Amino acid sequence: MQQIQILMVDDHPIILEGYQNVLMATKKPEQLLIIETANNCDEAITLMKRASRDRPYDLCFFDISLPPSSDGKVTSGEDLAILSRELLPQAKVIILTMFNESFRIHNILKEINPDGFLIKSDLTSSELAEAFQHILIDPPYYSSTVSNYLKKTVSSDIYLDDINRKILHLLSQGIKTRSLKEYIDLSMSAIEKRKKQLKLLFGVSDGKDETLLEEARDKGFL
């Protein structure tokens, strides 16, 4: 019998129940799944610390949007995933999230490099079951939105650093140029310079922010 220890973290109990039901219904006959769940960062931290001393988890599923820990140090599933890499280095990390903007996908891939990355709007029961079995044997597994993002950005010859990605993301959220310095630790002239570079990179000839955002979307950066 293959015993598989699993931690699932989501602040919606009904979603956790759904995930558990899918995995239990589709597991292989020789697999014994031991699933523990947490609804917030504090519960997850307690379970991970206990598992690191006792029987480590084989897989950890993290939702991104979670109530923060009571000390305020862990504020999301991203923070939990990074902590799990320290406490449970052998555990496979799976991110499940509603966030599907390229900026968020890029950051999660860069900061966490998860073994599984599933956008909830892509997910069906059969895909969750397939992802689970795939990640056990041959990670990583990415759902279609993540795969499409990677295909577009890999095939693009445009390289953007994190600050330029953030500028694009903020502009796409409707933040005006004059307000960008509230979110980015740069002078106004440095931000303007970067915007000019971005327009050159994306071949924007009319100088408009709207055209820049259209081009960035088209190439998978938004």
Side-chain angles (χ1 to χ4, degrees), residues 7 16 38-39 43 103 186 221:
L7 172 65
L16 286 175
N39 296 124
E43 287 174 19
F103 179 74
L186 286 176
F221 287 93

Side-chain angles (χ1 to χ4, degrees), residues 113-161:
N113 189 21
D115 301 284
F117 193 171
L118 310 171
I119 307 296
K120 288 182 181 179
S121 55
D122 294 340
L123 216 50
T124 59
S125 300
S126 59
E127 183 163 22
L128 178 61
E130 183 192 330
F132 174 68
Q133 298 298 340
H134 187 101
I135 291 159
L136 279 174
I137 300 159
D138 185 25
Y141 183 99
Y142 302 139
S143 71
S144 57
T145 300
V146 181
S147 297
N148 290 338
Y149 161 76
L150 284 168
K151 272 183 213 143
K152 275 189 165 183
T153 51
V154 166
S155 65
S156 169
D157 53 2
I158 295 171
Y159 169 76
L160 298 186
D161 67 15

Side-chain angles (χ1 to χ4, degrees), residues 2 29 35 45 61 68 94 100 123-124 126 148 167 193 198:
Q2 182 193 10
I35 303 175
I45 293 164
F61 290 79
I94 301 162
N100 59 7
L123 216 50
T124 59
S126 59
N148 290 338
I167 288 171
K193 203 174 188 179
L198 282 166

Side-chain angles (χ1 to χ4, degrees), residues 49-65:
K49 283 182 175 170
R50 195 196 69 205
S52 70
R53 294 189 301 268
D54 186 10
R55 166 76 166 84
Y57 294 113
D58 299 296
L59 290 96
C60 296
F61 290 79
F62 298 111
D63 182 24
I64 291 293
S65 298

